[in-house]
Amino acid sequence: MREQLNSIRERAEKELSSVEQIQDLENIRVKYLGKKGELTQVLRGMGTLSTEERPIIGQLANEVRKLLESKIEETGKKLAEMERSRKIAREVIDVTIPGRRKFLGSRHPLTIAIDQIREVFIGMGYEIAEGPEVELDYYNFEALNIPKGHPARDTQDTFYINENILLRTQTSPVQIRVMENKKPPIKVICPGRVYRSDAVDATHSPIFHQIEGLVVDKGVTMGDLIGTLQVFAKSLFGENSRIRLRPHHFPFTEPSAEVDVSCWTCGGKGCRVCKNEGWIEILGAGMVHPKVLEICGIDPEVYSGFAFGIGAERTVMGKFNIDDMRLLYENDIRFLKQF
Ligand code: DAH
């Protein structure tokens, strides 16, 4: 039995010296000191010993048990300490690493300008109206007094879904949709995206934006239109801005005009930006054609109205001195973060 106890001590000490995991330590404890452990078995067999041997072996067994218990406790502490250091090493925080900076985005220049235009008109009592970008031929052309085969369609070629459905070429169809649903007084603007099958260059894009305006009431005159556009130009391009109307033709307004703003760079003297003209065209406008009012069920003998369509890209390019429209769509951060 003495040898048995010595062997238990030796093997247990050897195993304890190489243990690395808490779980293995527990297994060793169970193996020797557990209910069915080796040392426990030896102690149980003590009854077979002689009276002389019993206290001697008993003492030896107790010593081995105490020794193993204290070694197991010691090893347990060591393992816990090691685990703690490993954890600290794993979780180390280097406070000298530079922080990750969050960049705050900015609004797109088109959004800035369109929002500003909206504000100007909301300030004059206008409401915002919207219409679909995938539009019926009827609203985009027909009801605007541009029947099939009309030459005005040539300058507004677009993308057709089928013969009667297309991507709208202008925000003017929203005028019709508004007048169909609401009777005068009407005072709306409708900002939106429009499409034309134009090739991309510095001043053209197959997708661009317009801001449509429509006012219909009793006694609305061309003077109201001009005054309104003057307020718009001054708010957007500064107090010294002037506007100029050139006679033009739009099938849905009569009379019609193209409207220029005095050059925002030279103030009208002539420079590179305005190609020495002193003026820059930014919108089309006119008095709503009586036929259009009639199509929408509004009596042109009682009511009159004016309408206009502002080119958003032109306005933005002027406001921010941008010389190439493509910059607005390329999403180059170096460009966008300047606004
Ligand atoms: N929609 C026209 C265009 O894209 C611009 C325009 C002209 C709109 C006259 C109007 C208007 O409302 O009355 O060229």
Side-chain angles (χ1 to χ4, degrees):
M1 237 174 219
R2 197 183 292 268
E3 284 101 69
Q4 235 178 322
L5 286 170
N6 282 336
S7 148
I8 287 175
R9 201 196 66 220
E10 269 168 33
R11 281 183 291 123
E13 280 187 324
K14 196 167 164 233
E15 283 171 37
L16 284 172
S17 68
S18 64
V19 69
E20 277 178 358
Q21 306 281 338
I22 296 275
Q23 187 51 48
D24 296 339
L25 182 67
E26 175 60 11
N27 291 342
I28 293 171
R29 195 189 64 75
V30 171
K31 180 174 168 194
Y32 295 104
L33 304 178
K35 265 194 205 151
K36 291 179 185 160
E38 287 188 33
L39 189 65
T40 319
Q41 301 291 349
V42 173
L43 288 171
R44 277 203 190 124
M46 296 258 290
T48 62
L49 292 174
S50 66
T51 345
E52 296 87 57
E53 270 184 317
R54 207 176 291 158
I56 301 166
I57 297 296
Q59 197 189 350
L60 183 62
N62 255 337
E63 274 169 21
V64 173
R65 186 170 53 82
K66 278 208 184 110
L67 180 79
L68 292 188
E69 273 171 2
S70 78
K71 287 232 158 173
I72 286 171
E73 194 188 322
E74 201 181 292
T75 312
K77 277 189 190 150
K78 211 174 72 197
L79 287 181
E81 184 54 41
M82 271 161 58
E83 178 52 34
R84 216 169 91 86
S85 329
R86 269 199 298 258
K87 203 169 164 213
I88 288 172
R90 243 186 285 129
E91 289 174 358
V92 76
I93 295 171
D94 182 352
V95 291
T96 64
I97 292 176
R100 274 182 221 122
R101 194 199 291 204
K102 287 211 170 90
F103 286 101
L104 192 59
S106 56
R107 279 188 304 163
H108 192 280
L110 260 172
T111 310
I112 296 175
I114 291 174
D115 282 354
Q116 206 174 342
I117 296 170
R118 283 164 69 128
E119 286 307 309
V120 172
F121 285 102
I122 288 171
M124 290 194 271
Y126 285 66
E127 284 171 40
I128 309 285
E130 280 183 339
E133 290 172 30
V134 180
E135 185 55 286
L136 291 172
D137 182 285
Y138 175 77
Y139 288 107
N140 195 77
F141 291 128
E142 206 83 24
L144 286 164
N145 203 21
I146 314 173
K148 288 211 159 71
H150 192 289
R153 289 195 179 214
D154 293 350
T155 58
Q156 301 202 7
D157 192 15
T158 184
F159 305 93
Y160 284 83
I161 310 297
N162 62 35
E163 214 187 314
N164 294 316
I165 303 173
L166 46 77
L167 297 187
R168 67 180 181 190
T169 61
Q170 47 188 350
T171 41
S172 303
V174 187
Q175 290 184 20
I176 307 296
R177 289 182 173 274
V178 168
M179 286 190 280
E180 273 184 353
N181 288 310
K182 195 174 181 302
K183 293 306 141 207
I186 291 170
K187 222 173 160 184
V188 293
I189 56 159
C190 18
R193 199 176 289 155
V194 299
Y195 303 81
R196 288 187 198 178
S197 81
D198 286 340
V200 175
D201 66 23
T203 54
H204 290 87
S205 159
I207 303 177
F208 56 105
H209 299 76
Q210 290 186 337
I211 299 122
E212 191 82 8
L214 172 71
V215 173
V216 184
D217 203 349
K218 285 179 183 154
V220 175
T221 68
M222 194 90 179
D224 297 320
L225 170 63
I226 294 170
T228 302
L229 295 178
Q230 253 159 8
V231 170
F232 156 73
K234 286 182 193 297
S235 318
L236 234 78
F237 300 109
E239 265 312 298
N240 294 327
S241 293
R242 286 159 294 132
I243 57 163
R244 164 179 97 168
L245 276 73
R246 281 177 291 104
H248 194 75
H249 172 259
F250 293 108
F252 40 96
T253 42
E254 178 59 34
S256 305
E258 278 186 336
V259 181
D260 304 336
V261 186
S262 54
C263 177
W264 36 75
T265 305
C266 64
K269 287 190 217 74
C271 70
R272 194 182 61 87
V273 174
C274 57
K275 300 198 181 79
N276 264 329
E277 293 203 8
W279 297 93
I280 296 170
E281 183 206 325
I282 57 159
L283 63 93
M287 299 305 290
V288 181
H289 199 292
K291 260 196 182 168
V292 173
L293 291 174
E294 238 164 48
I295 287 173
C296 299
I298 294 172
D299 185 352
E301 296 296 326
V302 181
Y303 294 103
S304 59
F306 66 75
F308 54 87
I310 304 167
E313 274 74 2
R314 284 193 180 187
T315 309
V316 175
M317 289 166 75
K319 201 174 159 47
F320 296 118
N321 243 317
I322 299 165
D323 59 5
D324 193 323
M325 198 189 281
R326 287 168 285 202
L327 288 166
L328 294 173
Y329 308 115
E330 281 165 355
N331 284 339
D332 185 331
I333 278 185
R334 290 167 302 177
F335 168 76
L336 293 176
K337 73 179 178 195
Q338 296 175 53
F339 301 94

